[in-house]
């Protein structure tokens, strides 16, 4: 079949064999050929330049036509395939096969019959739909019918020899093709010259002679270009790229694929265009341009017809991109399973590769038995290809090691290594050696591991694979550290992290950039631990900062640069429509009954898809900005930056929870010190227990032992540095839900029961990262304060469909905090006026402080869908707050759990509402860790604002409010849940 012959060159283009043939699922049996289906060619049609016969054809179906020819006649006839892959045979009057035409063009394009009749009589044209193809249609027409010249005879003889070479021994076939090539070059038959060059290239490809194959495909492409055939030129350039990839010429492959995509579009060849986009995605993925790869795969998916055998290959590549490179294992696993379930059962190489990737995911998530089943299935499917099987064997070795079967692991890995050492396995060898190096490292063989990792790094460099190089360099670092060579380990880690720094800005979607960065947090942990071992506490802290809240920092820089103000109107309009549809779906989700889980799942799937679409669109906005790349560059925090950030009365405590050990840095204007803490697995359960106790109404009236113990753990190592200074906390993991204000001042076991809370002697401020605040301060420097003081949106009048109770306490709170303010300096919207229109219509823009006292609707899985519930059935989702212009000095979210969100390694607690308001222009946000009852919240907020309007800085005003409630004997759940996020400096003076 044509499909079988085109597989090879496109196999490496797709990391799986790419066939251009559209094949029908195996479980649909082909129809039997109709009995006696021999048709006369319509009268008058069998002549040069005559009309066309057109018919429908299914896979396995056979049509036959009589062709009355005279001896010596040249027949040039074409069959135009339209969605059916057909083989075309010419039989002589005795029924013997003259030639069989089945070009490398699958189910579209022209099959050529070129022959000279050796005797007069009724010849037969046989058009057969290949099994598994179609159904579709074809058209047949005669292009030339005349007495043959000598040149015609030579060309026809060459064509018969050329087509008859299929299935012969390689050397015999190559000899025939070489002879045909010489004939057609002499006769000036450029189209046929290009075709035979492509056949010769394909055979070199099958023999893994990449350079020879590439040279022939390049020559074929040039011939097709001269003959003016963009479709065949696109096919040749796609195949040329498939040879350049294993040769390590990734950029050259990308150039050929770009030309192929353009040619295919010009020829209206969707499938060749899809092939080119798929291959370009692979090239860009290898080069670390992950967003480009994502976009190209998506483009290919749009072009593959539903059910086309190439579509699951693109799904496979998308799954690998998400799971391995973007570290979005959930989405990657879904795509890989979709690919596995849609591959044809006879697509063994493809299914083997997908099984291997599914096994890798299972192994990394600790499901060893499941991983073994997938790897064994991959081996079963790919026993005919040693190089690919070597990878599956190496992965099985790791499973055996994990199960404690060391001899079996050695046997599997030994076989894999012998395979890649005894043959050319350009893609498989670095993978096998990387897995072998990891096994050696696990066993403490650091010398062997380092040698293997270094070999891998060289191999990946030769392939132009950036992320493969980075992974190998990290392995080198681990091995060097194990051998005690800390300086060499430091250099290797820095090289690996520089590669990730180059990759990260290419990912334009905020959610995927976040997941990508979360996947390399272990690398940062290793670097930090190494620096601490070397006594470089200052550099270790700068590295910890480099690893934190980068997506938030990018967002703040983006907002300050005004990227949205210069965005094309069409993109903004598309964004508005997407937001409207998102809001409709979220409204459906909120009112859907849990008794109908299937409906809820469908709505959630639609929401996830729309959020991804919105993120992609916003990525397109960033793509159009020439400033964006510079905005995402990370600058290390220097001593000068510390002095810029901190004043003499402020100490910063930055925590990082690690797997081996955790760290707290004490940072002042003049120094950085580090102290080691217990590992994450010990700290986080204690933190969650304490946080739940603090938010409980059941408070014993004294500091419980668990709280005291946690305070000694977290604050004991830094207590001597605290004095009575302002404390700025950069938390990590579960620490982000812990109100540090409620921790007792650390002391001995006896003193702790009655020890004062930290808030009694310290202002407490939270930051996502120090670098994010520096970025924000620089962006907001020189901003003129608004003339209005305070805008309040409180006690919305909800509709019955919102299923929310009124909050009358917030109306009293609003009245209390606006009481005594000068007329015209405040704005108050309550009841029906506390509406979406009020917030989005610009009424709040001229005020320094924005106060929202309403229900907050938290969506931790999709933070962009977290929202504030407003009057008349309205809501304000986070994804729309991003679009608002709210240059406020402070936004107070007096709603439940507005600080909470999804914990993302490296990014921290991704809570949609605070981030959205910071992006919209807020300098700081007051948020809550839990739902505070109305009365206490109202009292605390009233005292807080009284202090603000008297000139207290926000952190000091919050301290006074919390101390006031403490002195009244209130439990922590009534006062400790409010947290100031952002700048602690005073607000501009409130002059009457």
């Amino acid at each position: 079949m044509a499909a079988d012959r085109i597989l090879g060159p496109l196999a490496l283009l797709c990391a799986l064999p790419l066939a251009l043939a559209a094949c029908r699922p195996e479980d649909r049996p082909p129809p039997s050929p109709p009995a006696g289906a021999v048709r006369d060619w319509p009268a008058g049609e069998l002549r040069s330049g005559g009309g066309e016969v057109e018919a429908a054809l299914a896979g396995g179906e056979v049509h036959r036509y009589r062709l009355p020819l005279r001896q010596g006649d040249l027949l040039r006839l074409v069959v135009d395939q339209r969605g059916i892959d057909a083989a075309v045979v010419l039989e002589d009057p005795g029924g013997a096969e003259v030639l069989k035409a089945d070009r490398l063009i699958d189910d579209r394009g022209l099959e050529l019959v070129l022959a000279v009749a050796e005797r007069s009589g009724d010849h037969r044209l046989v058009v057969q739909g290949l099994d598994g193809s179609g159904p579709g249609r074809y058209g047949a027409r005669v292009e030339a019918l005349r007495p043959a010249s000598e040149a015609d005879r030579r060309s026809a003889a060459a064509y018969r020899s050329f087509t008859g070479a299929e299935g012969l021994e390689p050397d015999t076939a190559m000899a025939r093709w070489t002879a045909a090539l010489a004939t057609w070059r002499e006769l000036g038959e450029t189209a046929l010259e290009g075709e035979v060059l492509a056949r010769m290239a394909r055979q070199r490809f099958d023999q893994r002679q990449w350079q020879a194959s590439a040279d022939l495909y390049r020559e074929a492409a040039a011939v097709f270009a001269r003959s003016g055939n963009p479709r065949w030129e696109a096919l040749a350039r796609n195949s040329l790229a498939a040879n350049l990839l294993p040769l390590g010429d990734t950029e050259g492959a990308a150039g050929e694929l770009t030309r192929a995509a353009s040619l295919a579009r010009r020829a209206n060849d969707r499938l060749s265009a899809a092939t080119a986009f798929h291959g370009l995605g692979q090239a860009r993925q290898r080069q670390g341009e992950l967003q480009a790869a994502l976009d190209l795969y998506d483009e290919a998916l749009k072009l593959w017809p539903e059910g086309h055998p190439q579509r699951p290959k693109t799904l496979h590549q998308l799954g690998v991109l998400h799971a391995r490179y973007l570290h979005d294992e959930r989405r990657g696993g879904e795509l890989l399973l979709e690919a596995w379930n849609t591959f044809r059962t006879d697509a063994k190489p493809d299914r083997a590769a997908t099984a291997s990737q599914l096994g890798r995911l299972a192994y990394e998530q600790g499901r060893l038995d499941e991983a073994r089943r997938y790897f064994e299935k991959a081996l079963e499917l790919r026993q005919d290809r040693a190089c690919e099987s070597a990878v599956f064997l190496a992965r099985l070795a790791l499973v055996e090691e994990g199960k404690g079967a060391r001899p079996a692991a050695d046997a599997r890995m030994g076989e894999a290594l012998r395979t890649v050492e005894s043959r050319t396995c350009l893609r498989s060898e670095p993978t096998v050696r990387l897995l072998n190096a990891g096994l050696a490292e696990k066993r403490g063989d650091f010398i062997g591991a380092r040698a293997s990792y270094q070999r891998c790094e060289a191999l990946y460099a030769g392939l132009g694979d950036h992320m493969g190089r980075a992974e190998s360099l990290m392995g080198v670092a681990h091995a060097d550290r194990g051998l005690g060579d800390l300086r060499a380990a430091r250099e290797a880690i820095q090289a690996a992290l520089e590669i990730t720094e180059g990759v990260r800005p290419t990912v334009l979607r905020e959610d995927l950039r976040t997941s990508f960065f979360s996947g390399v947090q272990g690398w940062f942990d290793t670097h930090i631990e190494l620096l601490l071992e070397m006594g470089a506490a200052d550099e270790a802290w700068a590295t910890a900062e480099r690893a934190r809240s980068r997506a938030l920092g990018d967002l703040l820089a983006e907002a300050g640069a005004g990227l949205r103000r210069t965005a094309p109107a069409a993109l903004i309009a598309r964004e508005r429509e997407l937001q409207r549809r998102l809001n409709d779906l979220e409204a459906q989700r909120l009112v859907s009954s849990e008794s109908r889980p299937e409906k809820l799942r469908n709505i959630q799937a639609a929401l996830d898809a729309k959020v991804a679409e919105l993120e992609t669109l916003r990525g397109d906005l960033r793509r159009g900005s020439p400033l964006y790349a510079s905005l995402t560059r990370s600058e290390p925090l220097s001593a000068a930056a510390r002095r810029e950030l901190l004043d003499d009365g402020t100490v910063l405590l930055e925590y990082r929870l690690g797997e081996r050990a955790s760290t707290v840095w004490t940072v002042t204007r003049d120094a950085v010190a580090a102290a080691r803490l217990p590992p994450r697995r010990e700290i986080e359960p204690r933190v969650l227990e304490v946080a739940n106790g603090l938010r409980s109404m059941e408070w014993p009236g004294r500091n419980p032992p668990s709280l005291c113990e946690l305070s000694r753990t977290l604050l004991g190592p830094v207590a001597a540095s605290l004095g009575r200074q302002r404390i700025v906390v950069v938390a990590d993991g579960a620490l982000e839900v812990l109100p540090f204000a409620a921790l007792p001042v650390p002391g001995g076991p006896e003193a702790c029961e009655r020890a004062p809370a930290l808030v009694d002697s310290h202002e407490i401020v939270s930051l996502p990262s120090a670098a994010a605040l520096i970025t924000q301060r620089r962006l907001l420097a020189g901003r003129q304060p608004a003339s209005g003081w305070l805008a309040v949106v409180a006690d919305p009048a909800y509709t019955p469909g919102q299923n929310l109770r009124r909050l009358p306490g917030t109306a009293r709170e609003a009245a209390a905090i606006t009481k005594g303010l000068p007329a015209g300096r405040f704005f108050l919207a309550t009841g029906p006026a506390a509406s979406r229109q009020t917030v989005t219509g610009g009424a709040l823009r001229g005020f320094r402080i924005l106060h929202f006292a309403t229900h907050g609707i938290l969506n931790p899985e999709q933070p962009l869908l977290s929202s504030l519930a407003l009057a008349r059935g309205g809501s304000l989702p986070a994804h729309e707050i991003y679009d608002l212009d709210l240059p406020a000095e402070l936004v107070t979210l007096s709603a439940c759990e507005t600080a909470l969100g999804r914990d993302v390694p490296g990014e921290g607690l991704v809570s949609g509402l605070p981030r959205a308001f910071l992006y919209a222009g807020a300098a700081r946000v007051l948020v809550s860790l839990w739902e505070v009852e109305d009365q206490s919240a109202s009292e605390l907020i009233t005292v807080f604002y009284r202090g603000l309007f008297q000139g207290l800085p926000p952190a000091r005003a919050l301290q006074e409010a919390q101390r006031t409630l403490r002195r009244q004997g209130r439990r922590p759940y009534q006062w400790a849940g409010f947290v100031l996020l952002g700048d602690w400096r005073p607000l501009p003076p409130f002059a009457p």
Side-chain angles (χ1 to χ4, degrees):
M1 290 176 60
D4 297 327
R5 294 196 302 278
I6 199 67
L7 280 174
L10 299 172
L12 293 181
L13 193 61
C14 302
L16 294 171
L18 262 182
L20 291 181
C23 295
R24 198 173 59 177
E26 188 177 87
D27 58 350
R28 290 172 56 187
S32 301
V38 181
R39 310 175 183 188
D40 288 317
W41 197 275
E45 296 290 348
L46 185 56
R47 52 187 170 79
S48 178
E52 181 176 88
V53 173
E54 185 175 354
L57 186 68
E61 188 175 355
V62 179
H63 293 178
R64 294 181 175 87
Y65 296 90
R66 287 194 188 91
L67 297 175
L69 300 176
R70 291 176 299 185
Q71 183 179 9
D73 277 351
L74 169 74
L75 173 66
R76 185 182 181 95
L77 180 148
V78 293
V79 174
D80 188 0
Q81 303 166 112
R82 300 162 188 170
I84 176 70
D85 189 8
V88 179
V89 176
L90 179 66
E91 296 176 349
D92 69 13
E97 182 179 295
V98 176
L99 62 83
K100 180 178 181 179
D102 189 10
R103 282 173 157 177
L104 307 179
I105 50 177
D106 64 48
D107 60 353
R108 63 208 194 283
L110 305 178
E111 294 287 4
L112 173 65
V113 172
L114 178 64
V116 173
E118 295 182 359
R119 55 177 171 152
S120 299
D122 285 346
H123 291 61
R124 295 277 172 82
L125 175 71
V126 181
V127 182
Q128 179 175 5
L130 297 179
D131 289 342
S133 178
R137 301 186 68 80
Y138 68 88
R141 66 180 182 275
V142 174
E143 290 189 336
L145 180 61
R146 64 171 187 267
S149 65
E150 181 56 30
D152 291 335
R153 293 180 184 279
R154 291 181 61 200
S155 182
Y159 191 69
R160 183 172 183 176
S161 177
F162 166 65
T163 57
E166 288 301 316
L168 299 180
E169 288 296 320
D171 290 345
T172 304
M174 186 62 73
R176 285 196 180 198
W177 293 332
T178 302
L181 175 64
T183 297
W184 287 327
R185 278 180 170 166
E186 181 185 341
L187 297 176
E189 293 270 15
T190 54
L192 292 173
E193 177 188 350
E195 190 172 346
V196 73
L197 284 166
R199 282 298 170 99
M200 295 166 73
R202 166 55 213 266
Q203 185 179 98
R204 296 304 185 207
F205 180 89
D206 287 344
Q207 296 168 334
R208 295 179 174 256
Q209 298 178 25
W210 316 121
Q211 189 60 61
S213 179
D215 292 342
L216 287 164
Y217 273 124
R218 185 177 284 110
E219 191 176 354
V223 170
F224 289 131
R226 288 201 310 271
S227 67
N229 192 329
R231 178 188 228 169
W232 277 81
E233 185 185 351
L235 286 167
R237 294 196 182 281
N238 274 335
S239 296
L240 169 57
N243 285 275
L244 295 177
L245 284 172
L247 290 169
D249 187 2
T250 305
E251 193 52 47
E256 294 299 334
L257 291 162
T258 301
R259 294 176 69 181
S262 175
L263 289 162
R265 286 281 175 91
R266 197 170 83 200
N268 197 28
D269 186 345
R270 289 171 56 92
L271 299 188
S272 288
T275 302
F277 286 130
H278 181 113
L280 264 175
Q282 282 192 285
R284 297 311 180 203
Q285 179 175 315
R286 186 180 290 187
Q287 293 171 314
E289 297 180 27
L290 302 188
Q291 183 69 53
L294 185 69
D295 294 343
L296 287 159
Y297 290 143
D298 284 340
E299 192 67 27
L301 274 183
K302 293 174 188 174
L303 291 172
W304 295 125
E306 198 67 37
H308 194 280
Q310 305 312 312
R311 196 171 190 279
K313 302 176 198 288
T314 302
L315 289 170
H316 168 97
Q317 285 302 123
L318 268 173
V320 172
L321 178 60
H322 277 272
R324 181 180 173 192
Y325 295 93
L326 297 172
H327 306 289
D328 183 356
E329 286 82 6
R330 182 188 65 83
R331 181 60 180 149
E334 291 172 351
L335 287 161
L336 288 168
L337 279 172
E338 185 179 354
W340 174 261
N341 291 329
T342 52
F343 275 126
R344 290 168 42 201
T345 54
D346 62 348
K348 291 184 178 182
D350 310 325
R351 290 170 64 80
T354 303
S356 179
Q357 290 299 322
L358 287 167
R360 186 186 64 81
L361 267 180
Y363 173 78
E364 291 175 355
Q365 294 168 1
R367 305 191 306 276
L368 298 186
D369 290 335
E370 180 183 345
R372 173 184 280 160
R373 287 194 297 273
Y374 274 123
F375 295 144
E376 288 176 344
K377 184 66 175 176
L379 268 178
E380 175 191 330
L381 290 167
R382 208 65 180 116
Q383 288 177 343
D384 61 322
R385 296 300 291 268
C387 288
E388 289 86 342
S389 294
V391 174
F392 311 149
L393 286 166
R395 294 198 184 282
L396 270 171
L398 296 187
V399 173
E400 300 293 2
E401 183 77 6
K403 302 285 278 185
R406 185 164 184 167
D410 288 338
R412 298 280 198 181
M413 188 63 76
E415 186 179 351
L417 287 169
R418 286 192 295 273
T419 297
V420 298
E421 288 167 356
S422 63
R423 62 191 68 218
T424 302
C425 298
L426 292 173
R427 289 298 298 169
S428 298
E429 183 181 358
T431 304
V432 169
R433 292 193 180 280
L434 191 66
L435 295 169
N436 179 56
L439 182 60
E441 183 187 334
K442 284 178 184 291
R443 294 176 173 181
D445 176 12
F446 297 116
I447 293 176
R450 180 172 61 181
S452 289
Y453 281 130
Q454 288 173 334
R455 173 66 175 150
C456 287
E457 197 270 332
L459 290 170
Y460 280 123
L463 290 171
D465 189 329
H466 288 46
M467 293 307 295
R469 279 194 62 219
E471 195 172 351
S472 303
L473 285 165
M474 278 306 302
V476 171
H478 284 295
D480 282 334
R481 185 183 179 194
L483 292 167
D485 192 345
L486 302 188
R487 290 189 178 278
R490 180 182 184 177
E491 291 176 3
I493 292 176
Q494 288 172 337
L497 291 175
E498 282 305 311
I499 291 174
T500 67
E501 285 294 312
V503 170
R504 194 186 69 86
T506 72
V507 185
L508 299 176
R509 276 177 50 175
E510 179 194 347
D511 58 337
L512 295 180
R513 195 177 334 124
T514 298
S515 67
F516 167 77
F517 208 55
S518 73
V520 295
Q521 287 303 301
W523 298 7
F524 280 102
D525 284 335
T526 300
H527 194 199
I528 290 166
E529 289 173 5
L530 186 66
L531 291 168
L532 291 172
E533 287 177 32
M534 299 174 73
D538 200 331
E539 188 180 348
W541 174 65
T543 301
E545 271 292 310
R546 187 182 176 195
R548 280 196 63 86
S549 299
R550 296 288 296 282
L552 175 60
D554 293 348
L555 286 171
L556 294 174
E558 173 188 323
L563 261 60
R564 298 186 58 77
R565 290 194 295 274
T566 60
L571 284 180
I572 296 297
R574 280 178 55 203
E575 181 187 46
R576 296 281 187 270
E577 175 59 22
L578 268 176
Q579 289 174 321
R580 183 189 66 75
R581 293 165 69 182
L582 258 180
N583 293 342
D584 289 345
L585 284 168
E586 179 66 357
Q588 292 177 40
R589 185 185 71 86
L590 291 173
V591 300
S592 292
S593 169
E594 292 186 4
S595 63
R596 301 181 63 186
E598 186 62 32
K599 181 178 180 182
L600 274 174
R601 280 194 296 270
N602 291 338
I603 293 174
Q604 188 60 56
L607 275 169
D608 291 345
K610 285 295 170 221
V611 168
E613 196 174 342
L614 180 62
E615 292 278 18
T616 298
L617 178 63
R618 287 179 169 169
D620 290 340
L621 294 176
R622 296 177 184 116
R623 194 198 314 274
S625 169
L627 294 172
Y628 186 72
S630 63
L631 297 177
T632 59
R633 292 194 188 116
S634 170
E635 297 180 10
L637 280 179
S638 61
R642 283 203 319 270
R643 288 190 289 272
E644 177 186 348
L645 175 70
L646 302 171
D647 51 67
D648 288 327
T650 301
V651 59
L652 183 145
L653 302 180
E654 179 151 345
Y655 292 85
R656 187 169 181 90
L657 302 183
E659 299 308 317
R660 297 184 180 181
S662 300
T663 308
V664 57
W665 286 271
T666 307
V667 184
T668 65
R669 280 174 59 87
D670 301 318
V672 176
R676 300 297 261 169
L677 302 177
R680 177 189 296 271
R681 66 180 178 278
E682 295 182 23
I683 288 181
E684 288 203 320
R686 294 160 55 192
V687 169
L688 295 175
E689 178 190 352
V690 166
N692 288 332
L694 290 171
R695 66 189 297 172
S696 169
M697 296 179 66
E698 302 299 324
W699 180 252
R702 62 187 182 279
N703 298 323
S706 59
L707 182 62
C708 292
E709 183 184 351
L710 184 63
S711 178
R712 283 192 293 272
T713 299
L714 297 178
L715 299 177
V718 300
S721 305
L722 299 182
R724 298 187 67 84
Q725 299 182 91
R726 177 186 301 112
I727 298 174
V728 177
V729 178
V730 178
D732 186 28
L735 293 176
E736 296 203 61
V737 302
L738 178 70
F740 274 72
L743 291 178
V745 175
E750 300 80 10
C752 182
E753 259 191 25
R754 299 293 177 184
L758 206 59
V759 74
D760 289 334
S761 51
H762 300 273
E763 300 171 26
I764 312 292
V765 180
S766 290
L767 287 182
S769 75
L773 180 58
I774 292 175
T775 297
Q776 186 189 42
R777 281 183 175 179
R778 291 173 180 174
L779 292 171
L780 300 184
R783 184 173 74 178
Q784 293 301 306
S787 58
W789 289 6
L790 174 65
V792 180
V793 178
D795 187 26
Y798 299 119
T799 63
Q802 289 178 279
N803 296 320
L804 297 170
R805 59 180 176 82
R806 287 285 292 267
L807 299 170
T810 64
R812 294 190 295 271
E813 174 181 302
I817 64 179
T818 56
K819 184 179 179 180
L821 296 184
R825 293 300 179 98
F826 70 92
F827 171 83
L828 181 60
T830 60
S835 66
R836 173 186 168 85
Q837 178 56 39
T838 296
V839 178
T840 61
L844 311 184
R845 194 173 298 138
F847 294 89
R848 300 180 195 179
I849 301 173
L850 308 180
H851 181 91
F852 294 90
T854 175
H855 282 291
I857 302 172
L858 178 70
N859 192 324
E861 292 306 312
Q862 289 287 7
L864 285 178
L865 299 180
S866 294
S867 62
L868 296 173
L870 298 172
R872 301 174 179 174
S875 69
L876 185 64
H879 65 82
E880 290 191 356
I881 297 171
Y882 278 81
D883 298 340
L884 301 179
D885 181 17
L886 298 173
E889 300 301 319
L890 169 68
V891 171
T892 298
L893 300 176
S894 185
C896 61
E897 301 179 326
T898 49
L900 301 186
R902 179 162 51 93
D903 184 24
V904 179
E907 198 59 30
L909 208 59
V910 180
S911 43
L913 293 169
R915 284 190 172 217
F917 278 109
L918 290 171
Y919 186 93
R924 52 190 70 76
V925 186
L926 184 67
V927 293
S928 63
L929 291 170
W930 56 70
E931 184 174 4
V932 182
E933 50 94 7
D934 272 4
Q935 182 63 32
S936 297
S938 179
E939 292 177 30
L940 184 143
I941 291 297
T942 300
V943 177
F944 171 69
Y945 279 114
R946 185 186 306 140
L948 281 181
F949 292 126
Q950 290 172 356
L952 292 181
R956 180 66 185 279
L958 179 60
Q959 180 194 21
E960 288 301 318
Q962 291 179 323
R963 289 199 302 192
T964 297
L965 267 66
R966 262 183 59 76
R967 286 193 292 265
Q968 295 172 3
R970 303 296 180 87
R971 300 178 178 90
Y973 93 91
Q974 295 172 299
W975 59 266
F978 282 96
V979 177
L980 182 69
L981 182 68
D983 205 340
W984 56 84
R985 297 182 302 181
L987 273 60
F990 292 94

